[in-house]
Amino acid sequence: MAAGGGGVADPFSPAGIPCAFSPQSQAYFALASTDGHLRVWETASNRLQQEYVPSAHLSGTCTCLAWAPARLQAKEGPQRKKRKSEAIGTSNQVDLLALGTAVGSILLYSTVKGELHSKLISGGHDNKVNCIQWHQDNGCLYSCSDDKHIVEWNTQTCKVKCKWKGDNSSVSSLCISPDGKMLLSAGRTIKLWVLETKEVYRHFTGHATPVSSLMFTTIRPPNESQPFDGITGLYFLSGAVHDRLLNVWQVRSENKEKSAVMSFTVTDEPVYIDLTLSENKEEPVKLAVVCRDGQVHLFEHILNGYCKKPLTSNCTIQIATPGKGKKSTPKPVPILAAGFCSDKMSLLLVYGNWFQPTIERVALNSKEPHMCLVRDISICWAPKVETAITKVRTPVMNSEAKVLVPGIPGHHAAIKPAPPQTEEIESKRKLGEKEVSIEERLGALDIDAKKEKDTLPQTNSFPVLLTQGLESNDFEMLNKVLQTRNLNLIKRTVLRMPLHAVIPLLQELTKRLQGHPNSAVIMVQWLKCVLTIHASYLSTLPDLVPQLGTLYQLMESRVKTFQKLSHLHGKLILLITQVTASEKTKGPTCPAQKAKLVYEEESSEEESDGEIADKDSDDNWDEDEEEKGGEKDEDVGEEEEEDAEEKDEENGEDRDVASEKELNGDSDLDPENESEEE
């Protein structure tokens, strides 16, 4: 027997579209597409039977769906028979479909009538419904939501029977036990509830992410020696979001948290799961898992206790398009859902796109580990989004066409006095001449595009231009504003700019600081203004350091080079000042002017001193010339140099002493010096 209701698709992932096969021999396939429409397809003929659009399909899209079980529909038959509006032949075919929405409401849709049966909203969920499960016997409906609660609904009265908190976080999945006395719920942990008392019977932990699917895999426990209480010894399966392992758990009598007894590995996150229930210990469980990557993995295993290693799939099914021609390559076709047929030897595959899926029955071959089905789905009409995006047509503009600009960039046109042209236009109208052309009327409005292009933007429009340029990332507009050298204009612009544009401006300045040095000089002025004016706003931002990390690094690298340059600059200044100081001392200290009055004292001592000083100075010049001549002759040879050095040592000492004394002017004053000279 096939699993009733299939598996609820993963509501957390966009790949898992809510869909399910009908329980009556899988005659129908219901799919709630991303556009909010519910479509019901006939599996045998692959024909769209019904399409339903909920009134709130745009605000509250369908997040999960579940068919009512076959037993419940058989019970409802006699009750529905009383209505005269319905035919007697369709009384046993009342197919109810429960739809959970993103706003928390639950819709019951009748596929026989093709319209909404009832709506469950009062006192239920106030957040997204994640999973819906029908009770197979009493006609109740169980739902879980992001609001952490589980609700038990009475579908006859459309009211809440019971509501309780299922977890500390959102409850993502539900499953009812085969005997209908227990309920599995999954949030952060998997809990097994007793439906009568609403108490937790067992806890199961093992998934780090929200559980997307729960279902029992056995009806009776493998060990039949002990008396069966309806739950102990049964196995159930769980799959989670972003988890490539499907865990199998066993309900034990010990009151301890137990881990999974075995696990199945798949290639990607499970999106849709279907299985055949095991009625005895010798019958294996057949499992079909549709993954996010569009593949189907088939498992066949006898549940007989603990298994250490994860089990790999017995068979993998893929669908691809035929590669027509030499250049075209086969492309994979995603499989949306897979369900076992009643004979358990064939599989119903739903593949293609959600708008126009293809349903096909495939016979299973246990010997082949990998099946690749080549199918051509190009016949299916589907909207081609890629062609609409890539092909962009630009309108053909005539060179003579004039473009009207709505005023100066500041969102307001300049108000000027009306020109004298208006008087001429009015006079033309009075005289009954030709009707005034649109060009003249526009000229009267004084919208002159050429003048606006030639003149620079006004100062009051600079903050507007700056914010627009930062938002649209317009390079030309930013250049107009940021290349100004006027400090007052920079300060006014930074003062008037909105606060939300401060961080984008700093990031733009950081980019430009890394560019040409000439532009970097201007950017430093902008940076200085922004940091000084908006320092109080910047200090309130918690994530300022990571946002301005590149600016910090840039400033540090620049400062490191500036230290070396400043040291070099200081040394050069010292050298230049020394050179200039030495040049000043060499120059004439006294001004070159003739004295207006010269006073001379008549003294014999001064005259004699002056005469002796003149003579000594003349002799000194002769001795210096002789020394220079001797220096020139020293280059003749090494032997001559040695002789010259010996002579100089003998004679040079006396000359040097005499010359020094004569230069100092002490030769005639000191009596000791006179005796030494003699």
Side-chain angles (χ1 to χ4, degrees):
M1 133 183 171
V8 179
D10 178 12
F12 292 88
S13 65
I17 300 165
C19 54
F21 289 100
S22 65
Q24 290 181 340
S25 68
Q26 297 178 320
Y28 300 105
F29 177 74
L31 186 144
S33 55
T34 51
D35 58 356
H37 293 210
L38 171 71
R39 294 180 176 90
V40 181
W41 306 79
E42 282 186 16
T43 56
S45 60
N46 196 11
R47 184 173 61 87
L48 179 65
Q49 194 210 24
Q50 290 179 12
E51 186 172 6
Y52 172 65
V53 184
S55 59
H57 69 287
L58 294 175
S59 60
T61 54
C62 178
T63 54
C64 55
L65 55 87
W67 290 87
R71 296 176 194 171
L72 177 64
Q73 289 166 5
K75 282 185 179 181
E76 278 192 0
Q79 295 173 2
R80 308 287 292 169
K81 204 173 180 179
K82 293 176 184 177
R83 292 195 178 183
K84 293 179 181 179
S85 59
E86 293 184 12
I88 298 167
T90 59
S91 62
N92 293 326
Q93 298 176 3
V94 177
D95 289 333
L96 286 177
L97 193 62
L99 307 171
T101 61
V103 292
S105 60
I106 296 170
L107 312 175
L108 297 181
Y109 175 75
S110 173
T111 55
V112 172
K113 294 193 293 183
E115 62 183 29
L116 194 66
H117 182 271
S118 55
K119 195 172 183 180
L120 314 176
I121 47 171
S122 59
H125 299 292
D126 54 5
N127 209 329
K128 183 178 76 170
V129 180
N130 291 326
C131 185
I132 298 172
Q133 284 290 319
W134 288 86
H135 198 282
Q136 53 264 52
D137 297 324
N138 58 14
C140 288
L141 191 73
Y142 294 90
S143 62
C144 62
S145 169
D146 279 353
D147 61 5
K148 309 175 186 178
H149 285 82
I150 302 169
V151 177
E152 183 181 10
W153 299 89
N154 187 343
T155 54
Q156 302 290 329
T157 60
C158 301
K159 291 182 179 178
V160 177
K161 275 183 77 175
C162 184
K163 182 178 179 180
W164 72 97
K165 189 175 180 181
D167 208 304
N168 291 328
S169 61
S170 62
V171 186
S172 55
S173 189
L174 293 175
C175 183
I176 296 170
S177 64
D179 63 348
K181 294 180 180 178
M182 297 285 185
L183 176 73
L184 273 174
S185 74
R188 287 185 177 173
T189 60
I190 301 170
K191 295 177 182 178
L192 186 62
W193 302 83
V194 180
L195 282 178
E196 285 185 8
T197 59
K198 307 296 186 294
E199 292 177 354
V200 179
Y201 180 71
R202 290 284 180 274
H203 281 270
F204 305 93
T205 56
H207 285 290
T209 52
V211 177
S212 58
S213 51
L214 283 172
M215 56 186 68
F216 278 92
T217 59
T218 52
I219 292 175
R220 291 208 167 270
N223 189 4
E224 295 176 355
S225 60
Q226 297 176 357
F228 181 49
D229 60 353
I231 191 69
T232 306
L234 291 187
Y235 291 90
F236 69 90
L237 182 86
S238 67
V241 178
H242 308 306
D243 196 349
R244 292 188 294 176
L245 281 177
L246 291 166
N247 290 344
V248 180
W249 313 77
Q250 188 177 15
V251 184
R252 300 179 186 272
S253 57
E254 299 95 6
N255 192 13
K256 292 180 181 178
E257 290 187 358
K258 295 290 182 181
S259 59
V261 291
M262 65 180 71
S263 56
F264 301 104
T265 58
V266 288
T267 54
D268 206 345
E269 177 187 328
V271 170
Y272 190 96
I273 300 171
D274 193 22
L275 52 82
T276 62
L277 288 168
S278 173
E279 297 185 13
N280 53 49
K281 63 179 181 180
E282 294 176 358
E283 186 180 2
V285 173
K286 287 186 177 181
L287 180 67
V289 184
V290 181
C291 295
R292 185 191 276 268
D293 56 6
Q295 298 184 47
V296 175
H297 298 280
L298 299 174
F299 299 89
E300 191 172 342
H301 185 71
I302 298 170
L303 301 174
N304 53 2
Y306 185 75
C307 184
K308 192 175 183 180
K309 290 184 179 179
L311 301 171
T312 55
S313 61
N314 298 38
C315 180
T316 304
I317 302 173
Q318 281 181 298
I319 299 175
T321 57
K324 293 180 180 178
K326 294 180 180 178
K327 292 184 180 179
S328 63
T329 55
K331 293 182 180 178
V333 178
I335 299 171
L336 303 176
F340 285 102
C341 298
S342 55
D343 60 353
K344 299 185 182 181
M345 295 305 293
S346 55
L347 200 66
L348 272 175
L349 293 180
V350 183
Y351 58 88
N353 50 59
W354 54 264
F355 192 77
Q356 185 84 15
T358 308
I359 303 170
E360 184 182 347
R361 187 168 179 163
V362 179
L364 297 176
N365 190 354
S366 58
K367 293 180 181 179
E368 291 185 15
H370 189 86
M371 292 171 63
C372 186
L373 307 175
V374 179
R375 300 288 182 270
D376 190 7
I377 59 163
S378 59
I379 305 163
C380 301
W381 54 279
K384 293 182 179 178
V385 184
E386 294 177 2
T387 54
I389 293 168
T390 52
K391 292 181 181 178
V392 179
R393 283 191 174 185
T394 52
V396 181
M397 293 290 291
N398 191 5
S399 59
E400 296 178 358
K402 289 186 177 180
V403 181
L404 301 178
V405 184
I408 298 165
H411 305 290
H412 62 276
I415 300 164
K416 293 181 180 179
Q421 289 180 357
T422 50
E423 295 174 3
E424 295 174 9
I425 291 163
E426 286 174 2
S427 62
K428 280 183 183 179
R429 286 179 186 171
K430 287 176 185 177
L431 292 167
E433 292 179 8
K434 290 181 182 179
E435 196 174 337
V436 184
S437 64
I438 295 171
E439 188 178 352
E440 290 177 351
R441 289 180 186 177
L442 291 173
L445 291 172
D446 195 35
I447 298 174
D448 193 359
K450 289 182 181 178
K451 286 182 181 178
E452 288 174 8
K453 287 181 181 177
D454 295 339
T455 57
L456 287 168
Q458 293 183 359
T459 54
N460 59 358
S461 67
F462 262 62
V464 179
L465 279 176
L466 183 60
T467 50
Q468 286 179 355
L470 290 169
E471 287 174 3
S472 61
N473 204 7
D474 193 344
F475 190 72
E476 293 181 1
M477 196 182 290
L478 287 170
N479 276 351
K480 277 184 182 177
V481 180
L482 294 176
Q483 286 183 354
T484 54
R485 293 177 179 271
N486 191 349
L487 284 173
N488 291 326
L489 183 58
I490 292 169
K491 285 180 183 177
R492 271 180 279 162
T493 308
V494 173
L495 273 168
R496 292 179 183 179
M497 67 182 290
L499 285 176
H500 64 82
V502 172
I503 293 294
L505 176 60
L506 284 174
Q507 291 170 351
E508 181 65 28
L509 292 173
T510 308
K511 286 181 193 173
R512 290 171 179 256
L513 275 168
Q514 299 170 4
H516 199 272
N518 290 338
S519 64
V521 172
I522 308 168
M523 296 309 119
V524 168
Q525 299 293 337
W526 280 92
L527 189 65
K528 185 180 176 183
C529 284
V530 172
L531 294 176
T532 50
I533 291 168
H534 296 290
S536 57
Y537 165 69
L538 290 169
S539 62
T540 59
L541 298 176
D543 55 345
L544 182 67
V545 176
Q547 282 185 337
L548 303 181
T550 51
L551 183 62
Y552 287 143
Q553 291 175 0
L554 188 67
M555 289 168 74
E556 281 180 6
S557 60
R558 292 281 175 97
V559 166
K560 283 179 183 176
T561 54
F562 286 156
Q563 283 179 353
K564 295 176 183 177
L565 286 171
S566 61
H567 287 312
L568 181 64
H569 186 60
K571 290 177 182 177
L572 287 171
I573 285 173
L574 283 172
L575 287 170
I576 289 162
T577 48
Q578 285 179 355
V579 169
T580 49
S582 61
E583 284 177 355
K584 283 179 182 177
T585 51
K586 284 181 181 177
T589 52
C590 58
Q593 291 181 357
K594 290 182 179 179
K596 291 181 180 179
L597 179 66
V598 178
Y599 177 73
E600 291 182 0
E601 287 186 359
E602 292 179 1
S603 165
S604 60
E605 289 179 359
E606 284 180 2
E607 285 177 3
S608 61
D609 291 341
E611 287 173 3
I612 292 162
D614 291 337
K615 287 176 184 178
D616 291 339
S617 62
D618 292 338
D619 296 337
N620 190 16
W621 282 110
D622 294 337
E623 284 172 3
D624 290 339
E625 284 173 5
E626 284 174 11
E627 283 176 6
K628 285 178 183 176
E631 286 175 2
K632 288 178 183 177
D633 295 336
E634 280 173 10
D635 298 330
V636 179
E638 292 180 359
E639 294 177 357
E640 293 178 0
E641 281 178 3
E642 290 175 359
D643 298 335
E645 283 175 2
E646 289 174 359
K647 290 176 183 178
D648 287 336
E649 285 175 0
E650 293 173 0
N651 303 323
E653 290 177 359
D654 301 330
R655 291 179 181 177
D656 290 337
V657 171
S659 59
E660 283 175 13
K661 288 169 186 174
E662 287 172 359
L663 282 168
N664 294 328
D666 301 328
S667 57
D668 296 331
L669 297 172
D670 299 330
E672 293 176 3
N673 293 341
E674 286 177 5
S675 63
E676 281 176 9
E677 278 183 347
E678 289 173 0

